[in-house]
Every structure is written in C-alpha cells, then in structure tokens.
Amino acid sequence: MYGIYIHIPFCIRKCPYCDFYSVSSDEDLRRDYLSALKNQILSFGRVEADTVYFGGGTPSLLDPREIADIMALLRRQFDISSGAEVTMECNPATADTAKFRGFIEAGINRLSVGCQSFQDETLRSLGRLHSAEEAKAAVRDAREAGFDNISVDLMLGIPYETPAIAEADALAAAELEVQHVSSYLLRICEGTPFADGVPGIPDDDVQAECYRRFCRVMDESGYRQYEISNFAVPGYESRHNLKYWQCGQWLGFGPGAHMSDSVRRYSFEPDIGRFIFAFRGGPVTDPLALMRDEGTVDAEEYIITSLRTSSGLDTAILSGRYGVRLSAEQLSFIGKCRDAGLAEVSEGHVRLTRDGFLVSNSILSELI
Ligand code: SF4
C-alpha cells in the first residue's frame, strides 16, 4: 500500500535554520505550480494508497479550495482507501478556525502544527512568525473547527535551551491534549544562516538531558514513544511517516519530493522553475525519466531507519526483503549494546532503548 506526499514549496519567509525546499510566491507562480503539480500527478499510473501527506514549505498557505482540487484529482487518479490518513502541515501564522473548517471539508483529517517551541524568546531566535500564544491558539482553533487528530511539532537542541525549558515545552504540548508530538533535534544545515554561526546552542550533555526530560513528560502524560523523535497517544501514530521509517512505498510530487517503491528511490530536483517547465505542457509518458535516480533501497538503509522506531529492526524483513543476515561481528556488537542497556533483542527484533536512541548515531555507524 502506497503513501502519497505532496510538496507545497511556498513559505512567507525563510526560517534561518531550515533547509527544506521552499520559495516565496505570488499568484502567478502559485497558479503555474499547481497546474504543473496536477500534470505530474496525472503522469503516474494507478496505485492503492492509504495515506496522503501535504508537506512543505507551508501547505496551509493554500486556499482550502486548492487543497480540495488536489484531493479530488488524487481520488480520481489513485485508489485512496476510505479510511486514509490525510495530513497537512500547518504554520500557526497562516490559518484560523474558518480556514481549518475549509481544510476539513477538503478532506484533511490530520493536522501537523509547526509550533517548534512554546517560549517566545526561543521562537524569536528561530525566526518564527508566530508567538507561543498564537501557536497554542492555532491548536485550539483547529480543534474547535473539528480536527480530532492533531500533531504538534517541537524542536530540541535550540538556542539557550535548558532541561527546564524542554520539560515546559513537553508539558505545554500535553496540556493542549494533542494526539501526537514530534520533537526533532535542531540540525545546523549547510547553506542556512544558522550554519554561519548561532549563539547559545546547548552542548551534548545538556541536549541529552533535555531529551530525557522531554521523554519523561511524554511518558507521564500518556504518550508512547514509537520513534526516536515521535510520541503518540496509542492508535494515533503517523501512518504516513511509518512508511518512510519502514522503507515502504510512496509517491512524492513536487520539487524536492522523493518517491520509493521500496526497491528504488527517485526525486525531482529542488527547483520550482525546472519543475514547472517539465510539466507545463500536460502529463508526460515517462515521468521517472525527468527525475533523479537516487539508487536502490538497501539493507543498510533499512537498518538505519528501522532502528529509529520502537518496533526496531525485524531480522525476517532484513533477510526476506534484502537477502541479508546480521554477521557474527554485528551480533556480537548488538550483544554488547544489550549488556550496556542500549538495545533489546527478542523474537527476531533488535530495538534501541531510550539510552540507545541518545547514542544512535554511534551505534548505527558501528553496526553498518
Ligand atoms: S515555515 Fe517551515 S518550511 Fe518554511 S522556512 Fe520555516 S521551517 Fe522551513
């Protein structure tokens, strides 16, 4: 079963830490982009899909009618199951209750709100366009509009963060009674303003303590950690993102979007001008020829992504899908991790513990 990812590459203003592909837009660019996007969608054959994800960029900048148009096209072009999870990322600065109602009518049933922090000073240092109160208000407005599956995105390792701040952010998310919380570590990416230097980034020990405190509040608030950076009320795990972590199948539309049939990966280069040029004339007969071949999905990738999840690495999938068995050296290393409390091994699965998640980069580089 496939997932479908739709990239909406527009933002009001670029956040200084962000390396996702996005540009500012005007009416003409938006119209031309949506037209090219529809032609790219029409270029692909029918697949069965049970998740749709509008990511960005800032999909909530679109008008609900534009989202409804894309959804109608997806339903005509693909077999989208009746209980499909349909997520849209939302920047708190871009929507109100009326717009949220429109998104629900358009078919969105899960909202991922990019709050990033509930501290005004931190939000300013991240260059966000909204205050802490506006982020909370967006979540409340979404619920009032009828959303009953809401995720909040937060960040850890942000400038001047302390364990107390991490704990306060986790508590604020829990108090909003959202069903899902993501909390990714700030990555300093090349080519972003933050790469030129950003003061106040906490050291590794402080970041580790922030992570532990964040996780503890999530535990105490009834969320289950199902991925290194993701927590959900049981039953509200992101079905779409699980496809990425389990090396599943998805189609990805738009510049910078990836797609995978779980054997090979493709992407369209992150360039909206080239994208519009490629699909300006209508659907094409061989869309993959216009995309970059990103190579095969191999055992290494499966090991890396599956160990991010609480269900862990399934040795039956490793041997069945990739024809690979863990070597004696790898098994010995996993045994050492288990003895050190960093991993658990049971019923053909290898899982990292929370302490293992904290040093997952080192574990993975040794294992690979
Ligand atoms: S709003 Fe989101 S996608 Fe846009 S620049 Fe900021 S972090 Fe990146």
Coordinates of all heavy atoms in Angstrom, one line a residue, residues 7-8 10-22 55-59 89 91 114 116 126-129 155, ligand 1:
H7 N 4.3 18.1 -2.1 CA 5.1 19.1 -1.6 C 4.6 20.5 -2.0 O 4.4 20.7 -3.2 CB 6.6 19.0 -2.1 CG 7.5 19.9 -1.4 ND1 7.8 19.7 -0.1 CD2 8.3 20.9 -1.8 CE1 8.7 20.6 0.3 NE2 9.0 21.4 -0.7
I8 N 4.3 21.4 -1.1 CA 3.9 22.7 -1.4 C 5.0 23.6 -1.0 O 5.2 24.0 0.2 CB 2.6 23.1 -0.6 CG1 1.5 22.0 -0.8 CG2 2.1 24.5 -0.9 CD1 1.0 22.0 -2.3
F10 N 6.1 26.7 -0.7 CA 5.9 28.1 -0.5 C 6.0 28.4 1.0 O 5.4 27.7 1.8 CB 4.6 28.6 -1.1 CG 4.4 28.3 -2.5 CD1 3.3 27.6 -3.0 CD2 5.3 28.7 -3.5 CE1 3.1 27.4 -4.3 CE2 5.2 28.4 -4.8 CZ 4.1 27.7 -5.2
C11 N 6.7 29.5 1.3 CA 6.7 30.0 2.7 C 6.7 31.5 2.7 O 7.1 32.1 1.7 CB 8.0 29.6 3.4 SG 8.0 27.8 3.8
I12 N 6.1 32.1 3.7 CA 6.0 33.5 3.8 C 7.4 34.1 3.9 O 7.8 35.1 3.2 CB 5.2 34.0 5.0 CG1 3.8 33.5 4.9 CG2 5.2 35.5 5.2 CD1 2.9 33.7 6.2
R13 N 8.2 33.5 4.7 CA 9.6 33.9 4.9 C 10.4 32.7 5.3 O 9.9 31.8 6.0 CB 9.6 35.0 6.0 CG 10.9 35.7 6.2 CD 10.9 36.7 7.3 NE 10.8 36.0 8.6 CZ 10.5 36.7 9.8 NH1 10.1 37.9 9.7 NH2 10.5 36.1 10.9
K14 N 11.7 32.7 4.9 CA 12.5 31.5 5.2 C 13.0 31.6 6.6 O 13.6 32.6 7.1 CB 13.7 31.5 4.2 CG 14.5 30.2 4.1 CD 13.7 29.2 3.3 CE 14.3 27.8 3.4 NZ 13.4 26.8 2.9
C15 N 12.8 30.5 7.4 CA 13.4 30.4 8.8 C 14.9 30.2 8.7 O 15.3 29.4 7.8 CB 12.7 29.3 9.6 SG 10.9 29.5 9.7
P16 N 15.7 30.8 9.5 CA 17.1 30.7 9.3 C 17.8 29.4 9.5 O 19.0 29.2 9.2 CB 17.7 31.8 10.3 CG 16.6 31.9 11.3 CD 15.3 31.6 10.7
Y17 N 17.1 28.4 10.0 CA 17.7 27.1 10.3 C 17.2 26.0 9.2 O 17.7 24.9 9.2 CB 17.2 26.5 11.7 CG 15.7 26.5 11.8 CD1 15.0 25.4 11.4 CD2 15.0 27.6 12.4 CE1 13.6 25.3 11.5 CE2 13.7 27.5 12.5 CZ 13.0 26.4 12.1 OH 11.6 26.4 12.2
C18 N 16.3 26.5 8.3 CA 15.5 25.5 7.6 C 16.2 25.2 6.2 O 16.6 26.1 5.5 CB 14.1 26.0 7.3 SG 13.2 24.9 6.2
D19 N 16.4 23.9 5.9 CA 16.9 23.5 4.6 C 15.9 22.7 3.8 O 16.2 22.1 2.8 CB 18.2 22.7 4.7 CG 18.0 21.3 5.2 OD1 16.9 21.0 5.8 OD2 18.8 20.4 4.9
F20 N 14.6 22.8 4.2 CA 13.6 22.2 3.3 C 13.4 23.2 2.1 O 13.6 24.4 2.2 CB 12.2 22.1 4.0 CG 12.2 21.1 5.1 CD1 11.8 21.4 6.4 CD2 12.5 19.8 4.8 CE1 11.8 20.5 7.4 CE2 12.5 18.8 5.8 CZ 12.2 19.2 7.1
Y21 N 13.0 22.6 0.9 CA 13.0 23.4 -0.3 C 11.7 24.3 -0.2 O 10.6 23.7 -0.2 CB 13.0 22.6 -1.5 CG 12.9 23.4 -2.8 CD1 13.9 24.4 -3.0 CD2 11.8 23.4 -3.6 CE1 13.8 25.2 -4.1 CE2 11.7 24.2 -4.7 CZ 12.7 25.2 -4.9 OH 12.6 26.0 -6.0
S22 N 11.9 25.6 -0.2 CA 10.7 26.5 -0.3 C 11.1 27.8 -0.9 O 12.3 28.2 -0.7 CB 10.0 26.6 1.0 OG 10.8 27.3 2.0
G55 N 3.1 18.4 2.7 CA 4.2 18.9 3.4 C 4.8 20.1 2.7 O 4.4 20.5 1.6
G56 N 5.8 20.7 3.3 CA 6.3 21.9 2.7 C 7.7 22.2 3.2 O 8.4 21.4 3.8
G57 N 8.0 23.5 3.0 CA 7.0 24.6 2.7 C 5.9 24.7 3.7 O 5.9 24.2 4.8
T58 N 4.9 25.5 3.3 CA 3.8 25.8 4.2 C 2.5 25.5 3.4 O 1.9 26.4 2.8 CB 3.8 27.2 4.6 OG1 5.1 27.5 5.1 CG2 2.8 27.5 5.7
P59 N 2.0 24.2 3.4 CA 0.7 23.9 2.7 C -0.4 24.7 3.2 O -1.4 25.0 2.4 CB 0.5 22.4 3.0 CG 1.8 21.9 3.6 CD 2.6 23.1 4.1
E89 N 0.6 19.8 6.9 CA 1.4 20.6 7.8 C 0.8 22.0 7.9 O 0.4 22.5 6.8 CB 2.8 20.6 7.3 CG 3.5 19.3 7.5 CD 5.0 19.3 6.9 OE1 5.4 20.4 6.3 OE2 5.7 18.3 7.1
N91 N 1.5 26.0 9.5 CA 2.2 27.1 10.2 C 1.2 27.9 11.0 O 0.2 28.4 10.4 CB 3.0 27.9 9.2 CG 3.8 29.0 9.9 OD1 3.4 29.6 10.9 ND2 5.1 29.1 9.5
G114 N 3.2 23.3 13.2 CA 4.6 23.6 13.4 C 4.8 24.6 14.5 O 5.1 25.8 14.2
Q116 N 7.1 24.5 17.1 CA 8.6 24.5 17.4 C 9.0 24.8 18.8 O 9.9 24.2 19.3 CB 9.3 25.5 16.4 CG 8.9 25.4 14.9 CD 8.8 24.0 14.4 OE1 9.3 23.0 15.0 NE2 8.3 23.8 13.2
L126 N 14.5 31.6 16.6 CA 14.4 30.6 15.4 C 13.8 31.4 14.2 O 13.6 30.8 13.2 CB 13.4 29.5 15.8 CG 14.0 28.5 16.8 CD1 12.9 27.5 17.3 CD2 15.2 27.7 16.3
G127 N 13.5 32.7 14.4 CA 13.0 33.4 13.3 C 11.5 33.1 12.9 O 11.1 33.3 11.7
R128 N 10.8 32.5 13.9 CA 9.4 32.1 13.5 C 8.5 33.3 13.5 O 8.8 34.4 14.1 CB 8.9 31.1 14.6 CG 9.7 29.9 14.7 CD 9.6 29.0 13.5 NE 8.2 28.4 13.4 CZ 7.9 27.6 12.4 NH1 8.7 27.3 11.5 NH2 6.6 27.2 12.3
L129 N 7.4 33.2 12.8 CA 6.5 34.3 12.5 C 5.4 34.4 13.6 O 4.5 35.3 13.5 CB 5.8 34.2 11.1 CG 6.7 34.3 9.9 CD1 6.0 33.8 8.7 CD2 7.1 35.8 9.8
M155 N 10.9 21.5 18.7 CA 12.4 21.2 18.4 C 13.1 21.2 19.8 O 12.8 21.8 20.7 CB 12.9 22.4 17.6 CG 12.4 22.4 16.2 SD 12.8 23.9 15.3 CE 14.4 23.4 14.7
Ligands
SF4_1 S1 7.9 27.7 7.7 FE1 8.7 25.6 7.8 S2 9.3 25.0 5.7 FE2 9.0 27.3 5.8 S3 11.1 28.1 6.1 FE3 10.1 27.9 8.2 S4 10.7 25.8 8.9 FE4 11.1 25.9 6.6

